[in-house]
Amino acid sequence: MTAALETVDVSCVFQVNQGFMKGSKPLRAVNGVSLKIPKGQVVGLVGESGCGKSTMASILLGLQEPTSGEVLYSGESAGSFDGKDIARRIQPIFQDPYSSLNPTKSIHSIVSLPLRIHNVGDPADWDRKVYDILDLVGLPRRVAQSYPSQLSGGQRQRVAIARALIMRPEVVICDEPTSALDVSVQSQILNLLQDLRQELGLTYLLISHNLAVVEHMADRVAVMYLGRIVEEADADTLFRDPRHPYTKALLGSVLTPDPSLGVPDTHLGTVFPNPIDPPLGCSFHPRCSACMDICSAQTPMPVTEGDHMTECHLYAPQEAVAV
Ligand code: SF4
């Protein structure tokens, strides 16, 4: 099956200024990532803040040019699409509905903005489209005349979803879509996203630090650490048989009292490493309870069994770990 979205060995390197007379150092935010997002499926991309998830989202949305590698939309190189084509195919939903909606504009103006920017369809139909999409996301039509400050957090996120869907995109990049919301509202938004996916045949990339959110929705899960995908499998397999020590630590964190705090209780011992100065060998080795001698010397290669990929020396063929 052709993937709706795909990255092939994509890297993104930023030069970070180190201060007066110190020059700059490269920060490899995304490091050789190949990821397929099949049509109609939900792929979860999980990891801590700073692991490269949001840079991946920017690359897929065409907002950030990768340093190397290729992005494919429905099998065609991203280079053959302009910004408008990409916006019609892929739309984002961001974490914070407070800052992603212009407070000075009415909900009608916010939701219809993509139609006006991209001049989609007959302007005489735009009102109807706005009201149809408000119906679809479960908002009363009267909110069209309201302003963001008059709505609750959950209602604002529904507005953000309406704005993303009014272009009828094929793919939606959901970047932490519930982490700024009250716990009581989070499941309503996740259920809405799930219903919309089925009704409209959408494809989602669901970016989250929280495996519990991803477990609720994803067909497939990729776990990212310091710019690399370190484990990838279908969701059932990953939750039943996690292999990479980092995935196991993330799963442990799901049971913390307040998942919105990020990954506060992973028992990883040390803080997230500085991505400008990543550890040698396996970049997870300073935090890994299963670390072996080889881990600080040699970068693990991806090992795939069936369609379960793990990048860890524990799963390498025996001859590959001999030093
Ligand atoms: Fe831990 Fe070594 Fe596997 Fe890295 S390669 S996750 S340090 S066991």
Side-chain angles (χ1 to χ4, degrees), residues 244-245 282 284-285 288 290 295 312-314:
H244 197 284
C282 169
F284 185 60
H285 85 261
C288 181
C295 300
C312 169
H313 288 305
L314 290 171

Side-chain angles (χ1 to χ4, degrees), residues 244-246 281-292 294-296 298-300 311-315:
H244 197 284
Y246 181 58
C282 169
S283 59
F284 185 60
H285 85 261
R287 306 171 84 188
C288 181
S289 58
C291 184
M292 305 172 284
I294 190 177
C295 300
S296 57
Q298 210 169 297
T299 306
E311 199 170 85
C312 169
H313 288 305
L314 290 171
Y315 300 94

Side-chain angles (χ1 to χ4, degrees), residues 6 59 62 65-66 69-73 75-83 85-86:
E6 182 174 357
I59 290 170
E65 190 82 19
E70 195 173 22
V71 179
L72 304 173
Y73 300 133
E76 287 183 62
S77 171
S80 52
F81 297 89
D82 65 19
D85 289 334
I86 295 171

Side-chain angles (χ1 to χ4, degrees), residues 6 9 46 49 62 87 90 101 135 167 173 177 205 227 248 264 279 306 322:
E6 182 174 357
D9 200 17
V46 185
S49 296
I90 309 168
L101 305 182
D135 292 345
M167 296 281 285
I173 309 256
L205 176 67
K248 291 178 183 176

